[in-house]
Structure formats: structure tokens, C-alpha cells
Amino acid sequence: MPRAKGDGEKKRQPAVARPSSSVILVSPKNEVLLLHRVQTSSSFASAHVFPGGNLSSQDGPCPPPEDHAHHEDGPSYRQAAIRELFEESGILLAKDKTSGKMLVVDEATREQGRRLIHQNKVTFGDWLRQQNATAEADIDLIANLREDPLIPFTHWITPIANPKRYTTQMYLYFMPLPVNIDKRLLEDLPDEGERDEVPVPTSDGGVEVTEAQFLPAAAWLDRAQKGEIILFPPQFLLLHLVSGFLDQESRSTVSNGEMEERRAALMKFVHSGSPPWTDKYISPKMLKVTEDGRTVLALDDAGPELKGSDKRGESDRVVLVRFTKGSAREVTVAWKKDALREGKEGRSNL
């Protein structure tokens, strides 16, 4: 008797995409923080990544996976971004919600807090309140006195073929530029010790991260193209976009005014496009393979979880990458029209 179609051949369901968030932290020198993940990491092993990680119950509730809101920017994603940044690099982005001033905690206390939070001995929120009764993660506007501190900058959903999948909200966060006293009221100046400082990130002792460092986005891209570090497509693309605005010149000295102008230009870009980069949802799909064996990834699909929604990705650019043994090499960004034309020209010459 012929076997009924489908008997014993259940289609493998894609893994549920776990919610996570990452932050592209821009220093007072307009440099970007990357972390070097340990070789034993279950994801992005040995790669350089933005600080971030999975949402935890302590970050607050997240809608269920079948709800489109599960993939949307919200308090739990924001809380996780700031918490993971602190755990992985020691950089604390928290404020006194009464005064709006940033929270300053000495290094020894911060290091102890990182360990306790990572070991689940205390929640990030409780630890903050131990330092200051009205302290909270810097995730919200304060009485509309300043711009949103965490700026959404694309959302990525891992392709369904991957055994481990994530739905990751990316954010931009600009640390204040060095203070210009002539442009500020005296009472608005930060305390001594906070002025003109570039924070020094540190690893978490090798638990997940072996190194944490600020460098210009262009320098990170150059290191990746030389094969010195591993950058996966999301990190490479976003660094590529950031570099186009923050690294316009190679001069060693750039004025505060110029750095502010570059930030403003990047902000204008982030809020541009259709949809704007703040609301692009990207689940990479293979478009083709180049003659030299690299995969061309299209970025316009939002992923299966958002099918039927109005979410869309980036239709003009593609990422080229050579995947080898779980690693990503020879990554570049190209215009989609150019990548498609190269294939057609190659066939016409045969």
C-alpha cells in the first residue's frame, strides 16, 4: 500500500527567533565600541560584535512570538540593550530620573555589579536602585528635554535555515561630546571627572568577551577587510553606514562643531528612506553566488514571522560575504543594481 503523502515526513519547523538587542555605542570621539567574542561562544564565536544579547525576564515582558509586536522596539528591548552593554563592557548608561543627570559609579562597584548581575544574584534594575533610589537605565526621554537616547537602527531576523535564530533590535547611542563651556550654563555642566572623558571599556573576564575597544568605524572595517577580525553582515553593513558620516576625513584633530555636524548628518540619514532606517526589518536571503564564490545577500525581506505585515527591509543595497566554517570573510556592501548587472554582464560575455 502506498504510503500516504507526508507520513513520517513532517516538515522541519524553523527555530523560534529569540528576542535580543544590540547597541552601536558612539564615544565622545565618534568612535564605535566592538567586543571580541570568545572562541567557545554559541553564536558569533571569535567575531567582533556590538554589545548586546538576549532579552531576560528582568528586562520586562515581551509579546509572544506569534504577535508581530514581538519584533518591535519596546521597553524590554531597550532595557536589555543597556543591561547587556553594562555586563559586557562595564559602561553604565543610567540616569537619575528625577534630575536627569547621568549616574556615576566608581569602577570597583561597577565591576562587582557586573559579576552579580551576570550571575543572576541581583537584577540590573535592583542594582541601579542600590546606587541611587531614583536611578534607571537611560532608555527614555526626560520631559522632552533631549532627543531619544536610544535610536532604533534596523531590526534583523535570522534566516529560517539557521538552527539558532534571533530577532534583534539594533540601536544607536551617542555619548555626549566633550563639553564646550562657552555654550553651556554653568549649572548644566557635569561633575568633575565626567568632563571630556572617553569611557574605557573592559572585557567581562573572558566569560563572553575577550576584548572591548573603541575605534573609528572605518578602522574596524579596514581590519575586517584585511582578515584581521571577523565581522558578520549586520555589523559590517551598519559600520559601513556609520563610517560614511562619522569618518569623512582622516585628520587627527576634529573640532566639536565638526563632530556634531557629522552626528547630525548620520541622524538625518537614519531617519530617511522608505521605510526609514529606524524601521527597516532585515532577514537576509541569498540572491546569488558570485563567480569568486561569495554569497550575495538581499536585504529587502522582513522574514517569515512578519509575513503579511507592513514591515520591509533595504531594497537598494546588498551584502557580499564568503561563509566558511561558521565564519564570515571578505564582506563588502554593494548597490543591488550593480550586483545584478555584474551577473548579467558575465553571462553575456560567455
Side-chain angles (χ1 to χ4, degrees):
M1 178 177 178
R3 187 174 58 176
K5 186 177 181 180
D7 285 359
E9 296 179 357
K10 289 185 178 180
K11 187 177 180 180
R12 182 179 67 85
Q13 293 298 311
V16 174
R18 299 182 61 182
S20 67
S21 55
S22 291
V23 57
I24 303 167
L25 184 65
V26 180
S27 80
K29 291 185 176 180
N30 278 356
E31 297 179 338
V32 178
L33 176 64
L34 287 188
L35 312 177
H36 187 191
R37 293 189 66 83
V38 296
Q39 290 182 338
T40 55
S41 176
S42 59
S43 58
F44 300 107
S46 299
H48 278 70
V49 298
F50 303 123
N54 295 330
L55 273 61
S56 162
S57 58
Q58 66 173 290
D59 300 317
C62 184
E66 62 272 14
D67 189 337
H68 286 171
H70 181 75
H71 308 277
E72 295 178 357
D73 173 32
S76 56
Y77 276 103
R78 290 170 172 253
Q79 187 78 17
I82 301 300
R83 174 183 55 79
E84 286 283 350
L85 170 68
F86 180 59
E87 286 188 46
E88 294 184 330
S89 74
I91 294 178
L92 179 62
L93 300 180
K95 64 178 184 292
D96 180 328
K97 63 182 177 183
T98 301
S99 68
K101 291 185 178 180
M102 297 301 290
L103 189 65
V104 179
V105 179
D106 66 83
E107 183 179 358
T109 304
R110 281 188 285 113
E111 291 303 306
Q112 181 186 43
R114 291 172 70 184
R115 291 192 296 272
L116 292 174
I117 295 166
H118 185 78
Q119 295 167 3
N120 295 316
K121 293 182 178 179
V122 65
T123 67
F124 182 49
D126 286 344
W127 180 82
L128 285 177
R129 287 184 286 274
Q130 290 173 10
Q131 316 312 311
N132 181 317
T134 59
E136 63 181 13
D138 189 24
I139 64 174
D140 293 315
L141 301 178
I142 302 174
N144 295 320
L145 294 178
R146 64 189 181 108
E147 294 181 343
D148 192 344
L150 277 176
I151 304 146
F153 189 27
T154 68
H155 190 110
W156 294 71
I157 298 180
T158 310
I160 59 174
N162 293 49
K164 288 188 176 181
R165 301 181 64 233
Y166 302 92
T167 176
T168 303
Q169 179 63 56
M170 299 285 193
Y171 295 100
L172 265 175
Y173 187 107
F174 293 98
M175 303 193 80
L177 292 170
V179 174
N180 244 334
I181 294 178
D182 62 328
K183 293 184 179 179
R184 295 228 183 158
L185 298 175
L186 185 61
E187 59 266 26
D188 289 335
L189 287 174
D191 297 332
E192 290 293 337
E194 294 180 70
R195 302 181 190 177
D196 301 346
E197 273 192 13
V198 175
V200 179
T202 57
S203 77
D204 60 4
V207 178
E208 296 181 18
V209 177
T210 62
E211 182 184 42
Q213 185 180 7
F214 279 108
L215 281 177
W220 288 123
L221 294 170
D222 182 62
R223 290 187 64 187
Q225 289 170 332
K226 290 178 178 177
E228 298 173 358
I229 66 172
I230 298 169
L231 289 177
F232 278 84
Q235 289 77 17
F236 192 98
L237 173 66
L238 296 181
L239 283 169
H240 170 83
L241 297 175
V242 167
S243 178
F245 295 92
L246 299 188
D247 301 321
Q248 294 174 7
E249 298 178 19
S250 59
R251 298 201 314 271
S252 58
T253 303
V254 180
S255 70
N256 272 20
E258 288 176 287
M259 287 197 291
E260 189 61 59
E261 287 176 3
R262 295 179 185 186
R263 289 184 173 197
L266 175 56
M267 283 287 290
K268 183 178 180 180
F269 170 78
V270 168
H271 288 91
S272 71
S274 179
W277 287 88
T278 55
D279 199 37
K280 286 186 189 292
Y281 281 73
I282 300 173
S283 184
K285 279 189 173 182
M286 187 178 76
L287 187 61
K288 67 172 190 173
V289 177
T290 64
E291 291 183 359
D292 66 357
R294 286 192 296 170
T295 299
V296 180
L297 295 175
L299 310 173
D300 52 354
D301 189 74
E305 286 85 354
L306 294 173
K307 187 175 181 180
S309 74
D310 62 351
K311 301 301 184 186
R312 291 180 290 120
E314 161 59 11
S315 59
D316 294 330
R317 295 171 177 82
V318 294
V319 173
L320 286 74
V321 57
R322 187 183 304 280
F323 290 115
T324 55
K325 298 181 180 179
S327 181
R329 296 290 187 179
E330 300 176 46
V331 188
T332 57
V333 177
W335 295 108
K336 186 176 183 178
K337 58 182 176 61
D338 293 337
L340 292 175
R341 184 168 58 241
E342 286 177 9
K344 291 177 181 178
E345 289 174 352
R347 287 193 297 270
S348 66
N349 291 329
L350 292 177

PDB file of all heavy atoms in Angstrom, residues 8 38 55 58 96 99 107 153 160 170 176 191 205 224 235 270 278 299 317 320 324 326 337-338 340:
ATOM      1  N   GLY A   8       5.469  10.504   8.134  1.00  0.00           N
ATOM      2  CA  GLY A   8       6.859  10.446   8.572  1.00  0.00           C
ATOM      3  C   GLY A   8       7.740  11.488   7.955  1.00  0.00           C
ATOM      4  O   GLY A   8       8.950  11.412   8.061  1.00  0.00           O
ATOM      5  N   VAL A  38      34.404  35.315  22.654  1.00  0.00           N
ATOM      6  CA  VAL A  38      35.277  34.171  22.925  1.00  0.00           C
ATOM      7  C   VAL A  38      35.071  33.092  21.860  1.00  0.00           C
ATOM      8  O   VAL A  38      34.020  33.014  21.218  1.00  0.00           O
ATOM      9  CB  VAL A  38      35.004  33.582  24.329  1.00  0.00           C
ATOM     10  CG1 VAL A  38      35.341  34.595  25.405  1.00  0.00           C
ATOM     11  CG2 VAL A  38      33.552  33.133  24.455  1.00  0.00           C
ATOM     12  N   LEU A  55      17.073  39.056  25.448  1.00  0.00           N
ATOM     13  CA  LEU A  55      16.217  39.633  26.466  1.00  0.00           C
ATOM     14  C   LEU A  55      16.064  38.637  27.610  1.00  0.00           C
ATOM     15  O   LEU A  55      16.023  37.426  27.400  1.00  0.00           O
ATOM     16  CB  LEU A  55      14.842  39.983  25.906  1.00  0.00           C
ATOM     17  CG  LEU A  55      14.680  41.359  25.253  1.00  0.00           C
ATOM     18  CD1 LEU A  55      15.595  41.535  24.062  1.00  0.00           C
ATOM     19  CD2 LEU A  55      13.220  41.597  24.861  1.00  0.00           C
ATOM     20  N   GLN A  58      14.075  39.830  33.499  1.00  0.00           N
ATOM     21  CA  GLN A  58      14.269  41.052  34.276  1.00  0.00           C
ATOM     22  C   GLN A  58      14.131  42.313  33.429  1.00  0.00           C
ATOM     23  O   GLN A  58      13.978  43.414  33.972  1.00  0.00           O
ATOM     24  CB  GLN A  58      15.635  41.048  34.960  1.00  0.00           C
ATOM     25  CG  GLN A  58      16.814  41.114  34.009  1.00  0.00           C
ATOM     26  CD  GLN A  58      18.144  41.274  34.729  1.00  0.00           C
ATOM     27  OE1 GLN A  58      18.444  42.308  35.306  1.00  0.00           O
ATOM     28  NE2 GLN A  58      18.929  40.196  34.720  1.00  0.00           N
ATOM     29  N   ASP A  96      19.641  59.486  36.853  1.00  0.00           N
ATOM     30  CA  ASP A  96      18.729  59.808  37.946  1.00  0.00           C
ATOM     31  C   ASP A  96      17.467  60.347  37.286  1.00  0.00           C
ATOM     32  O   ASP A  96      17.491  61.408  36.664  1.00  0.00           O
ATOM     33  CB  ASP A  96      19.366  60.852  38.861  1.00  0.00           C
ATOM     34  CG  ASP A  96      18.475  61.235  40.036  1.00  0.00           C
ATOM     35  OD1 ASP A  96      17.233  61.220  39.875  1.00  0.00           O
ATOM     36  OD2 ASP A  96      19.011  61.572  41.101  1.00  0.00           O
ATOM     37  N   SER A  99      16.515  64.104  38.388  1.00  0.00           N
ATOM     38  CA  SER A  99      17.308  65.236  37.897  1.00  0.00           C
ATOM     39  C   SER A  99      17.667  65.121  36.426  1.00  0.00           C
ATOM     40  O   SER A  99      17.963  66.125  35.776  1.00  0.00           O
ATOM     41  CB  SER A  99      18.600  65.361  38.712  1.00  0.00           C
ATOM     42  OG  SER A  99      19.459  64.249  38.459  1.00  0.00           O
ATOM     43  N   GLU A 107      34.651  52.511  39.712  1.00  0.00           N
ATOM     44  CA  GLU A 107      34.991  51.309  38.957  1.00  0.00           C
ATOM     45  C   GLU A 107      34.814  50.027  39.757  1.00  0.00           C
ATOM     46  O   GLU A 107      34.269  49.036  39.248  1.00  0.00           O
ATOM     47  CB  GLU A 107      36.437  51.403  38.452  1.00  0.00           C
ATOM     48  CG  GLU A 107      36.845  50.216  37.594  1.00  0.00           C
ATOM     49  CD  GLU A 107      38.275  50.327  37.077  1.00  0.00           C
ATOM     50  OE1 GLU A 107      38.940  51.347  37.361  1.00  0.00           O
ATOM     51  OE2 GLU A 107      38.721  49.384  36.393  1.00  0.00           O
ATOM     52  N   PHE A 153      17.865  51.441  14.848  1.00  0.00           N
ATOM     53  CA  PHE A 153      18.665  51.491  13.623  1.00  0.00           C
ATOM     54  C   PHE A 153      18.698  50.098  13.007  1.00  0.00           C
ATOM     55  O   PHE A 153      19.689  49.412  13.065  1.00  0.00           O
ATOM     56  CB  PHE A 153      20.072  51.993  13.957  1.00  0.00           C
ATOM     57  CG  PHE A 153      20.942  52.295  12.762  1.00  0.00           C
ATOM     58  CD1 PHE A 153      20.413  52.658  11.541  1.00  0.00           C
ATOM     59  CD2 PHE A 153      22.326  52.226  12.869  1.00  0.00           C
ATOM     60  CE1 PHE A 153      21.216  52.941  10.452  1.00  0.00           C
ATOM     61  CE2 PHE A 153      23.153  52.518  11.792  1.00  0.00           C
ATOM     62  CZ  PHE A 153      22.598  52.876  10.580  1.00  0.00           C
ATOM     63  N   ILE A 160      15.579  31.427   8.234  1.00  0.00           N
ATOM     64  CA  ILE A 160      14.974  30.219   8.811  1.00  0.00           C
ATOM     65  C   ILE A 160      15.870  28.990   8.702  1.00  0.00           C
ATOM     66  O   ILE A 160      15.673  28.018   9.430  1.00  0.00           O
ATOM     67  CB  ILE A 160      13.609  29.920   8.164  1.00  0.00           C
ATOM     68  CG1 ILE A 160      13.756  29.723   6.648  1.00  0.00           C
ATOM     69  CG2 ILE A 160      12.613  31.021   8.469  1.00  0.00           C
ATOM     70  CD1 ILE A 160      12.456  29.293   5.985  1.00  0.00           C
ATOM     71  N   MET A 170      18.506  46.688  16.758  1.00  0.00           N
ATOM     72  CA  MET A 170      19.747  47.455  16.829  1.00  0.00           C
ATOM     73  C   MET A 170      19.424  48.908  17.206  1.00  0.00           C
ATOM     74  O   MET A 170      18.430  49.472  16.755  1.00  0.00           O
ATOM     75  CB  MET A 170      20.465  47.434  15.481  1.00  0.00           C
ATOM     76  CG  MET A 170      20.871  46.053  14.999  1.00  0.00           C
ATOM     77  SD  MET A 170      22.311  45.440  15.916  1.00  0.00           S
ATOM     78  CE  MET A 170      22.772  44.028  14.896  1.00  0.00           C
ATOM     79  N   PRO A 176      27.801  61.937  25.037  1.00  0.00           N
ATOM     80  CA  PRO A 176      27.979  63.383  24.855  1.00  0.00           C
ATOM     81  C   PRO A 176      29.374  63.733  24.353  1.00  0.00           C
ATOM     82  O   PRO A 176      30.370  63.120  24.746  1.00  0.00           O
ATOM     83  CB  PRO A 176      27.750  63.939  26.259  1.00  0.00           C
ATOM     84  CG  PRO A 176      26.954  62.890  26.965  1.00  0.00           C
ATOM     85  CD  PRO A 176      27.420  61.578  26.406  1.00  0.00           C
ATOM     86  N   ASP A 191      29.696  66.889  36.729  1.00  0.00           N
ATOM     87  CA  ASP A 191      30.675  66.986  37.807  1.00  0.00           C
ATOM     88  C   ASP A 191      32.081  66.771  37.273  1.00  0.00           C
ATOM     89  O   ASP A 191      32.300  66.163  36.239  1.00  0.00           O
ATOM     90  CB  ASP A 191      30.386  65.909  38.866  1.00  0.00           C
ATOM     91  CG  ASP A 191      29.025  66.125  39.511  1.00  0.00           C
ATOM     92  OD1 ASP A 191      28.581  67.294  39.569  1.00  0.00           O
ATOM     93  OD2 ASP A 191      28.421  65.127  39.944  1.00  0.00           O
ATOM     94  N   GLY A 205      36.060  39.497  31.639  1.00  0.00           N
ATOM     95  CA  GLY A 205      36.933  38.492  32.229  1.00  0.00           C
ATOM     96  C   GLY A 205      37.003  37.211  31.428  1.00  0.00           C
ATOM     97  O   GLY A 205      37.480  36.190  31.914  1.00  0.00           O
ATOM     98  N   ALA A 224      38.628  44.273   9.184  1.00  0.00           N
ATOM     99  CA  ALA A 224      37.864  43.130   8.667  1.00  0.00           C
ATOM    100  C   ALA A 224      38.274  42.801   7.236  1.00  0.00           C
ATOM    101  O   ALA A 224      38.426  41.629   6.869  1.00  0.00           O
ATOM    102  CB  ALA A 224      36.373  43.431   8.746  1.00  0.00           C
ATOM    103  N   GLN A 235      26.801  43.586  11.336  1.00  0.00           N
ATOM    104  CA  GLN A 235      27.772  44.510  11.901  1.00  0.00           C
ATOM    105  C   GLN A 235      28.525  45.268  10.803  1.00  0.00           C
ATOM    106  O   GLN A 235      28.755  46.477  10.914  1.00  0.00           O
ATOM    107  CB  GLN A 235      28.768  43.757  12.801  1.00  0.00           C
ATOM    108  CG  GLN A 235      28.180  43.247  14.101  1.00  0.00           C
ATOM    109  CD  GLN A 235      27.334  41.994  13.943  1.00  0.00           C
ATOM    110  OE1 GLN A 235      27.416  41.288  12.928  1.00  0.00           O
ATOM    111  NE2 GLN A 235      26.527  41.693  14.947  1.00  0.00           N
ATOM    112  N   VAL A 270      19.603  58.216   9.211  1.00  0.00           N
ATOM    113  CA  VAL A 270      18.925  57.138   9.928  1.00  0.00           C
ATOM    114  C   VAL A 270      17.406  57.294   9.856  1.00  0.00           C
ATOM    115  O   VAL A 270      16.670  56.309   9.805  1.00  0.00           O
ATOM    116  CB  VAL A 270      19.409  57.088  11.394  1.00  0.00           C
ATOM    117  CG1 VAL A 270      18.524  56.191  12.245  1.00  0.00           C
ATOM    118  CG2 VAL A 270      20.856  56.588  11.447  1.00  0.00           C
ATOM    119  N   THR A 278      15.293  53.576  10.784  1.00  0.00           N
ATOM    120  CA  THR A 278      14.802  53.281  12.127  1.00  0.00           C
ATOM    121  C   THR A 278      13.791  52.149  12.120  1.00  0.00           C
ATOM    122  O   THR A 278      13.542  51.533  13.158  1.00  0.00           O
ATOM    123  CB  THR A 278      14.140  54.532  12.738  1.00  0.00           C
ATOM    124  OG1 THR A 278      13.121  55.006  11.837  1.00  0.00           O
ATOM    125  CG2 THR A 278      15.144  55.640  12.988  1.00  0.00           C
ATOM    126  N   LEU A 299      18.601  42.149   1.119  1.00  0.00           N
ATOM    127  CA  LEU A 299      18.246  42.669   2.438  1.00  0.00           C
ATOM    128  C   LEU A 299      16.822  43.203   2.501  1.00  0.00           C
ATOM    129  O   LEU A 299      16.444  43.857   3.476  1.00  0.00           O
ATOM    130  CB  LEU A 299      19.220  43.796   2.829  1.00  0.00           C
ATOM    131  CG  LEU A 299      20.711  43.487   2.698  1.00  0.00           C
ATOM    132  CD1 LEU A 299      21.533  44.738   2.956  1.00  0.00           C
ATOM    133  CD2 LEU A 299      21.124  42.372   3.654  1.00  0.00           C
ATOM    134  N   ARG A 317      20.529  48.057  -1.354  1.00  0.00           N
ATOM    135  CA  ARG A 317      21.870  47.536  -1.088  1.00  0.00           C
ATOM    136  C   ARG A 317      21.849  46.032  -0.889  1.00  0.00           C
ATOM    137  O   ARG A 317      20.826  45.449  -0.527  1.00  0.00           O
ATOM    138  CB  ARG A 317      22.472  48.208   0.155  1.00  0.00           C
ATOM    139  CG  ARG A 317      22.740  49.704   0.011  1.00  0.00           C
ATOM    140  CD  ARG A 317      23.118  50.293   1.361  1.00  0.00           C
ATOM    141  NE  ARG A 317      23.464  51.714   1.294  1.00  0.00           N
ATOM    142  CZ  ARG A 317      22.578  52.701   1.283  1.00  0.00           C
ATOM    143  NH1 ARG A 317      21.268  52.433   1.331  1.00  0.00           N
ATOM    144  NH2 ARG A 317      22.974  53.974   1.250  1.00  0.00           N
ATOM    145  N   LEU A 320      27.844  41.245   0.228  1.00  0.00           N
ATOM    146  CA  LEU A 320      28.569  40.100  -0.318  1.00  0.00           C
ATOM    147  C   LEU A 320      29.439  39.527   0.793  1.00  0.00           C
ATOM    148  O   LEU A 320      30.092  40.281   1.532  1.00  0.00           O
ATOM    149  CB  LEU A 320      29.449  40.512  -1.496  1.00  0.00           C
ATOM    150  CG  LEU A 320      28.759  40.816  -2.835  1.00  0.00           C
ATOM    151  CD1 LEU A 320      28.040  42.161  -2.780  1.00  0.00           C
ATOM    152  CD2 LEU A 320      29.758  40.816  -3.972  1.00  0.00           C
ATOM    153  N   THR A 324      32.560  30.572   5.618  1.00  0.00           N
ATOM    154  CA  THR A 324      33.433  29.396   5.722  1.00  0.00           C
ATOM    155  C   THR A 324      33.452  28.910   7.162  1.00  0.00           C
ATOM    156  O   THR A 324      33.870  29.635   8.065  1.00  0.00           O
ATOM    157  CB  THR A 324      34.879  29.723   5.294  1.00  0.00           C
ATOM    158  OG1 THR A 324      35.362  30.832   6.063  1.00  0.00           O
ATOM    159  CG2 THR A 324      34.952  30.083   3.826  1.00  0.00           C
ATOM    160  N   GLY A 326      31.292  28.492   9.542  1.00  0.00           N
ATOM    161  CA  GLY A 326      30.631  29.307  10.549  1.00  0.00           C
ATOM    162  C   GLY A 326      31.181  30.700  10.701  1.00  0.00           C
ATOM    163  O   GLY A 326      30.765  31.446  11.591  1.00  0.00           O
ATOM    164  N   LYS A 337      21.654  46.991  -7.716  1.00  0.00           N
ATOM    165  CA  LYS A 337      21.622  47.093  -9.181  1.00  0.00           C
ATOM    166  C   LYS A 337      22.981  46.742  -9.778  1.00  0.00           C
ATOM    167  O   LYS A 337      23.060  46.121 -10.845  1.00  0.00           O
ATOM    168  CB  LYS A 337      21.188  48.491  -9.612  1.00  0.00           C
ATOM    169  CG  LYS A 337      22.038  49.633  -9.109  1.00  0.00           C
ATOM    170  CD  LYS A 337      21.500  50.981  -9.558  1.00  0.00           C
ATOM    171  CE  LYS A 337      22.291  52.145  -8.979  1.00  0.00           C
ATOM    172  NZ  LYS A 337      23.699  52.146  -9.378  1.00  0.00           N
ATOM    173  N   ASP A 338      24.061  47.131  -9.089  1.00  0.00           N
ATOM    174  CA  ASP A 338      25.398  46.810  -9.596  1.00  0.00           C
ATOM    175  C   ASP A 338      25.683  45.313  -9.480  1.00  0.00           C
ATOM    176  O   ASP A 338      26.282  44.716 -10.378  1.00  0.00           O
ATOM    177  CB  ASP A 338      26.460  47.601  -8.821  1.00  0.00           C
ATOM    178  CG  ASP A 338      26.375  49.096  -9.079  1.00  0.00           C
ATOM    179  OD1 ASP A 338      25.842  49.487 -10.136  1.00  0.00           O
ATOM    180  OD2 ASP A 338      26.839  49.884  -8.225  1.00  0.00           O
ATOM    181  N   LEU A 340      23.517  42.866  -9.536  1.00  0.00           N
ATOM    182  CA  LEU A 340      22.748  42.157 -10.552  1.00  0.00           C
ATOM    183  C   LEU A 340      23.317  42.369 -11.944  1.00  0.00           C
ATOM    184  O   LEU A 340      23.364  41.447 -12.764  1.00  0.00           O
ATOM    185  CB  LEU A 340      21.285  42.616 -10.504  1.00  0.00           C
ATOM    186  CG  LEU A 340      20.507  42.215  -9.250  1.00  0.00           C
ATOM    187  CD1 LEU A 340      19.117  42.837  -9.274  1.00  0.00           C
ATOM    188  CD2 LEU A 340      20.406  40.702  -9.146  1.00  0.00           C
TER     189      LEU A 340
END
